[in-house]
Amino acid sequence: MDRRVVVTGLGVVSPVGNDVPTFWKNICSGVNGIVTIDDFDTSDLPVKVAANVKNFDPAAYGIEPSIARRQDMYTLFAIAAADQALKQSGLVAGETIDPFRLGVYVGSGIGGFSTIVREVSNYVGEGGARFVAPTFVPTMIPNIAAGHVAMRSGATGPCVSVATACATSTNTIGEAYRAIKHGYADAIITGGAEAPRLKMAMAAFANARTLSRSENPDYASIPFNKNRNGFVLGEGSGIIILEEYGHAKARGAKIFAEICGYGSTCDAYNPTAPRPDGTTQAEAIKIALREAGYTSDDCLYINAHGTSTALNDAAETQAYKLALGQDAYKAHISSIKSMTGHSLGAAGGIEAVATIMALHDGIVPPTINLDTPDPECDLDYTPNVAVKADLTLAISDSLGFGGHNGCIAFRKID
């Protein structure tokens, strides 16, 4: 028998705040987290802006100096967000939950990017194998954040790391939902983390012509805007606690929402470009909505992938129309990447936090700087200012290189 699954904890590290209250206040207020790059030389780069995590202090989340020095930043972000979510949920392995029934599903699209860059530089620049750190592999692999979260939380249940590029966190949360739904765990710490804001990463994405070349940080990430010309690279982590409904009720946990649907498909089309007709993306959305019991009576919020690239935003708009028909025109939609930039594998986790809070508080966050809507993107993308709405259902969808599509659905719960 399928079990109900609810959200009992939230944690975030982002360009607009390193805790949920700050993050959510800034998102609803339209605060832009994108800034001009000033911590490395960009004179040979066509890209001048990024979405930085600001004032991040590992010690604030109980991370020891030895861990902070040795671990890649993506892992530190994940530990910090998981620490927040666990504390809010009240889950303690061995006290409020059987450790073997507590899992960790935390993914990363790339893993320890800064570690890779550093150790390759050591190998090439310093002159050989003896300069490569013995900790290189267990610091850069994309599953090590999940491992550290498990070690710190005492979670000895299933521990899984998904890597599906920009769909990573959404797929990770969806797979965690299924694991609890079908009885493999009672609670799972889930989401994703990424720290790719490096010169090498920017060079790679810029040379692939996917990054915005705007030098104005306040008009660089502009999803669904006719003037958009690429995404802005971001960083951070979003972690949520999923828990079996009966288990959460029995211990008196606060419930933020019920996760009630998950769809996953593949474009099978192109390594980097989305399928332009939106059919495969629409199918993932349809699966999630069908499982969630969506009807036209629902007041629906869609947290869009909304990267600010020409191909993504148009294909995504088409996918919503295919999935929802005429209902697409009455859905509340927005892209918080207009404020946070695109944190790749962490995006779905950060956006899941925003989606849950939107549903919980009845507030649709804005897509800022949407002053010139693209005629191909003709849905209600909540331009510039947040709006109040009596939301009953919310979905968050993510699309990743390789054609990965994921969509998760949450329902308001009394």
Side-chain angles (χ1 to χ4, degrees), residues 260-278:
C260 53
Y262 168 50
S264 178
T265 62
C266 184
D267 288 350
Y269 171 74
N270 184 278
T272 57
R275 187 179 284 271
D277 64 7

Side-chain angles (χ1 to χ4, degrees), residues 94-142:
E95 295 181 19
T96 59
I97 189 169
D98 178 349
F100 286 106
R101 301 293 296 171
L102 175 62
V104 177
Y105 280 42
V106 173
S108 180
I110 298 171
F113 209 149
S114 63
T115 302
I116 295 168
V117 171
R118 183 186 68 240
E119 296 303 328
V120 170
S121 294
N122 288 343
Y123 179 77
V124 176
E126 296 294 339
R130 68 191 181 94
F131 289 95
V132 177
T135 56
F136 177 28
V137 171
T139 306
M140 66 89 174
I141 49 180

Side-chain angles (χ1 to χ4, degrees), residues 19-100:
D19 59 75
V20 174
T22 304
F23 164 81
W24 183 235
K25 179 182 177 182
N26 285 338
I27 287 293
C28 291
S29 300
V31 173
N32 182 22
I34 299 165
V35 297
T36 300
I37 299 166
D38 62 4
D39 57 338
F40 58 81
D41 180 19
T42 62
S43 60
D44 59 344
L45 284 176
V47 176
K48 308 300 179 184
V49 300
N52 302 14
V53 167
K54 303 161 188 71
N55 304 313
F56 177 70
D57 179 9
Y61 311 97
I63 301 173
E64 303 83 355
S66 60
I67 298 294
R69 285 194 306 270
R70 295 172 186 169
Q71 290 306 310
D72 193 275
M73 190 59 74
Y74 102 95
T75 294
L76 301 183
F77 288 161
I79 292 172
D83 177 75
Q84 297 171 48
L86 276 169
K87 284 179 178 175
Q88 185 174 60
S89 74
L91 279 176
V92 180
E95 295 181 19
T96 59
I97 189 169
D98 178 349
F100 286 106

Side-chain angles (χ1 to χ4, degrees), residues 177-196:
Y177 157 65
R178 286 181 177 171
I180 298 172
K181 180 179 179 179
H182 298 307
Y184 298 103
D186 291 328
I188 295 178
I189 306 159
T190 182
E194 206 86 86

Side-chain angles (χ1 to χ4, degrees), residues 10 22 26 44 63 80 93 151 161 178 190 209 219 243 266 274-275 280 344 346 377 384 398:
L10 306 168
T22 304
N26 285 338
D44 59 344
I63 301 173
M151 286 182 269
S161 181
R178 286 181 177 171
T190 182
R209 306 194 70 81
Y219 205 72
E243 188 171 354
C266 184
R275 187 179 284 271
T280 47
L344 308 182
C377 303
N384 306 312
S398 299

